Amino acid sequence: MAEHGAHLTTASSDERPSIFEVLAQDSLMSAVKPALQHAVKILAESNPTRYGVLWRRFDEIYALLDLLLQHHFLSRSSASFSENFYGLKRVLTSDPTRPAHFGLRRKQHLRSLLLLALLPYLRAKVEKILARQRDEDDFSIRLPQSLTQKMYRAFLVAYPFVSMAWDGWVFCQQLLYVFGRTRTHSPLLWMAGVKLAHLTAHDIQSLDLKPSSPIGTNPSVGEKMQRILSSVVGGVAMSLSTGLSLGVFFLQFLEWWYSSENQSTVKSLTTLPTPPPPVHLDDQAAPGILSKLCPLCRKVRANDTALSTSGFVFCYRCIYMYVKANQKCPLTGYPSGVQHLIKIYSSEC
């Protein structure tokens, strides 16, 4: 029994990593993004005017940085950032003896780059669109049913089933990898035409001695700019790698702390401060009609709706259109979404 299960925790003769190693490197990048996202959220809430754009464009900024980071490590060590962190490399299924410091071939390099950086970005955007669509359905908002919109809604309906099928494929691939029936633990590696292996002592020595540019050449202006950009990205990559070496457990803690199971605790500790009431509410001589004005249209409110992030009350149409377009409260600047709108019912209705 022990002999049959030994391959689960040790590398085999062909340097195949164990299932625990490959799953650990998969979880590393998934822990980095939530931690950075929470840090950006705190900045945006502290100063919406200056840092609000970082929160609104977080997915695009993170995807760009991830693209540069993964390109650097794929070019230098034939591995993604997380794979290199755990001492792994990508080898071609057609040429497993290719040294790591040579990098991947152009075709496998581009495939790996797109699957590492572009695919997670697209999936995150689709899931946000799906969540926004659910919010609009909860508010019973129906747009004109043109052919394009029908196809759009059909895609949103089918996406959860596609996502479930993908997760099932990943699980089956990992199960086959555990029992040695496949060379890759992830469909993404299979699509890229590579598999994972351990870095050898020769690979590590070659990476340490790898020159940044050919010796004895006179680079052009474009090559100089490319070298400077590569040096900057390499410095950021090495700083991030060193920082993660010290803070990987802290990132895992943040991932657990901000998981769905702890949202009630986090919400009670990190809720936004209660904004001050409007000035006219403190003025006892102010006519009663002023308290019923919408801060956006300056008219008597119709279909009163409160924004839970700030506590102010608006016309439903005014605040819905504003929040959907700007993703923030018009008075306080707090990040907000349509899910924060609360309908107010009076006893007179």
Side-chain angles (χ1 to χ4, degrees):
M1 179 73 72
E3 294 178 356
H4 290 290
H7 67 281
L8 297 181
T9 56
T10 60
S12 58
S13 58
D14 61 349
E15 299 298 326
R16 190 174 73 104
S18 69
I19 186 64
F20 301 108
E21 290 174 300
V22 295
L23 291 182
Q25 66 87 20
D26 280 342
S27 64
L28 178 59
M29 290 307 294
S30 63
V32 171
K33 185 175 181 179
L36 292 178
Q37 192 170 20
H38 181 70
V40 171
K41 183 178 180 181
I42 292 177
L43 287 176
E45 291 175 349
S46 63
N47 194 334
T49 304
R50 177 175 298 180
Y51 303 113
V53 65
L54 296 179
W55 174 252
R56 293 191 295 270
R57 299 297 180 187
F58 176 80
D59 289 333
E60 288 73 17
I61 296 174
Y62 181 84
L64 179 60
L65 295 177
D66 190 28
L67 186 70
L68 295 175
L69 185 69
Q70 303 295 2
H71 172 70
H72 170 78
F73 278 96
L74 286 172
S75 301
R76 183 180 181 277
S77 58
S78 298
S80 68
F81 168 73
S82 58
E83 292 161 359
N84 180 265
F85 184 81
Y86 280 95
L88 304 176
K89 64 178 180 178
R90 295 189 172 209
V91 297
L92 306 177
T93 53
S94 58
D95 186 13
T97 60
R98 183 181 176 87
H101 67 280
F102 282 1
L104 299 174
R105 291 198 175 98
R106 183 177 181 83
K107 183 178 180 180
Q108 282 75 19
H109 180 94
L110 291 177
R111 284 184 182 178
S112 298
L113 200 58
L114 292 176
L115 294 174
L116 284 169
L118 183 60
L119 188 62
Y121 167 75
L122 294 177
R123 183 170 185 177
K125 298 301 288 187
V126 170
E127 289 177 351
K128 283 191 174 183
I129 293 174
L130 186 63
R132 186 167 64 247
Q133 186 65 41
R134 291 198 190 102
D135 293 334
E136 292 182 355
D137 289 342
D138 291 340
F139 280 99
S140 300
I141 297 174
R142 295 290 184 269
L143 301 176
Q145 293 293 308
S146 64
L147 178 61
T148 303
Q149 291 166 348
K150 288 181 179 179
M151 294 178 62
Y152 171 75
R153 285 183 177 273
F155 169 75
L156 294 181
V157 171
Y159 176 77
F161 299 98
V162 175
S163 180
M164 182 175 62
W166 172 262
D167 292 338
W169 185 7
V170 172
F171 174 76
C172 292
Q173 190 88 358
Q174 293 174 354
L175 195 62
L176 292 173
Y177 184 82
V178 168
F179 292 102
R181 299 298 183 180
T182 182
R183 293 177 295 182
T184 60
H185 75 287
S186 170
L188 298 179
L189 294 174
W190 173 75
M191 293 177 185
V194 297
K195 63 179 181 179
L196 294 181
H198 287 101
L199 284 171
T200 63
H202 180 264
D203 289 328
I204 297 174
Q205 183 180 8
S206 300
L207 290 174
D208 292 337
L209 299 177
K210 183 178 180 180
S212 58
S213 61
I215 301 175
T217 60
N218 187 17
S220 63
V221 177
E223 292 175 344
K224 289 182 179 179
M225 294 299 295
Q226 185 177 3
R227 186 185 305 174
I228 293 174
L229 180 61
S230 178
S231 301
V232 172
V233 174
V236 173
M238 293 306 298
S239 300
L240 184 58
S241 179
T242 304
L244 282 180
S245 299
L246 301 175
V248 63
F249 295 106
F250 178 69
L251 288 174
Q252 294 289 346
F253 170 76
L254 287 180
E255 181 186 20
W256 168 81
W257 180 256
Y258 294 108
S259 62
S260 57
E261 292 81 2
N262 295 311
Q263 284 305 304
S264 58
T265 303
V266 174
K267 188 175 181 180
S268 64
L269 296 176
T270 61
T271 49
L272 296 171
T274 304
V279 177
H280 65 76
L281 294 182
D282 294 332
D283 187 2
Q284 299 298 328
I289 191 65
L290 291 179
S291 62
K292 297 182 180 180
L293 294 181
C294 172
L296 287 174
C297 66
R298 301 296 180 180
K299 299 178 182 179
V300 177
R301 294 193 301 267
N303 199 1
D304 293 359
T305 303
L307 187 60
S308 62
T309 55
S310 64
F312 288 97
V313 183
F314 310 83
C315 300
Y316 173 76
R317 179 179 178 84
C318 295
I319 189 58
Y320 176 81
M321 298 300 293
Y322 186 91
V323 168
K324 185 176 182 181
N326 299 280
Q327 301 294 313
K328 64 179 182 179
C329 173
L331 300 182
T332 63
Y334 292 157
S336 306
V338 293
Q339 68 273 17
H340 298 123
L341 301 180
I342 301 177
K343 178 71 172 67
I344 298 178
Y345 298 93
S346 63
S347 59
E348 300 174 356
C349 296

